[in-house]
């Protein structure tokens, strides 16, 4: 079975661009992998608002999956400069292995889904690390980063 996992960040996107990208990619489910999904700068991406907009605008399901979020300790260490991006990657990848996310969640949940985080680019965002982890864990996974 071929699986396509999309990823998107909402920073530097207005609502029209954000929902347009999801709709154009024919995303069926947005999986929010942020540690804190209630207080973000972009009002349309707060948990309850986002769930409403996704369903109303594009009939897209919303799911928050904290197993795919970094721990508070890892996130704080990175934000405070106690670890660099390389250290963040190492610690976060180890956390995903420790949590056994590929086995716990299974691939069917992610086919046609889109991983959501706040970062504009996937280069230094844990959504890329999650998608790559699944690509290594499961067969035939294609990753598409929506701008």
């Amino acid at each position: 079975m071929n699986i396509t996992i999309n990823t998107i960040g909402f920073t530097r996107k207005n609502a029209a661009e954000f929902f347009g990208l999801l709709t154009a990619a024919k995303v069926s489910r947005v999986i929010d992998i942020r540690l804190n999904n209630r207080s973000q700068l972009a009002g349309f991406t707060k948990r309850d608002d986002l769930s409403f907009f996704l369903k109303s605008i594009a009939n897209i399901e919303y799911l928050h999956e904290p197993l795919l979020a970094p721990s508070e300790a890892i996130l704080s260490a990175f934000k405070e400069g106690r670890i660099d991006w390389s250290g963040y990657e190492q610690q976060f990848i180890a956390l995903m292995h420790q949590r056994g996310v590929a086995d716990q969640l299974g691939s069917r949940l992610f086919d046609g889904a889109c991983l959501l985080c706040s970062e504009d680019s996937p280069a230094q965002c844990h959504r890329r690390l999650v998608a790559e982890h699944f690509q290594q864990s499961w067969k035939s996974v294609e990753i598409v980063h929506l701008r």
Side-chain angles (χ1 to χ4, degrees), residues 62-145:
Y62 172 82
L63 174 68
H64 181 230
E65 184 45 75
L67 272 178
L68 302 176
S71 67
E72 185 65 48
I74 294 171
L75 189 58
S76 294
F78 180 67
K79 285 183 173 181
E80 295 167 6
R82 290 182 277 124
I83 59 172
D84 61 7
W85 178 250
S86 177
Y88 180 97
E89 281 185 324
Q90 291 173 0
Q91 289 185 30
F92 183 72
I93 290 167
L95 180 63
M96 284 193 297
H97 284 289
Q98 179 185 24
R99 289 176 175 170
V101 296
D103 292 330
Q104 277 199 58
L105 299 174
S107 61
R108 298 190 94 162
L109 179 67
F110 296 90
D111 190 28
C114 186
L115 302 177
L116 169 74
C117 197
S118 60
E119 296 297 327
D120 179 44
S121 166
Q124 286 195 347
C125 182
H126 78 286
R127 73 179 186 269
R128 176 182 59 83
L129 302 177
V130 170
E132 290 173 355
H133 177 77
F134 290 145
Q135 190 175 50
Q136 293 170 1
S137 300
W138 304 322
K139 295 178 180 174
S140 302
V141 172
E142 176 188 7
I143 299 170
V144 178
H145 299 292

Side-chain angles (χ1 to χ4, degrees), residues 2-71:
N2 293 331
I3 299 169
T4 299
I5 298 175
N6 300 283
T7 80
I8 194 168
F10 62 81
T11 301
R12 297 186 184 166
K13 290 176 185 68
N14 62 32
E17 181 181 9
F18 178 81
F19 292 106
L21 288 167
L22 293 171
T23 303
K26 296 181 171 51
V27 168
S28 59
R29 175 182 301 114
V30 166
I31 302 174
D32 189 340
I33 62 172
R34 296 175 290 172
L35 183 61
N36 181 359
N37 65 349
R38 294 183 190 147
S39 62
Q40 294 292 336
L41 297 177
F44 68 88
T45 64
K46 291 179 184 172
R47 179 192 64 196
D48 295 338
D49 293 336
L50 181 58
S51 178
F52 170 78
F53 291 135
L54 286 168
K55 191 69 169 168
S56 298
I57 293 169
N59 199 32
I60 296 173
E61 179 186 356
Y62 172 82
L63 174 68
H64 181 230
E65 184 45 75
L67 272 178
L68 302 176
S71 67

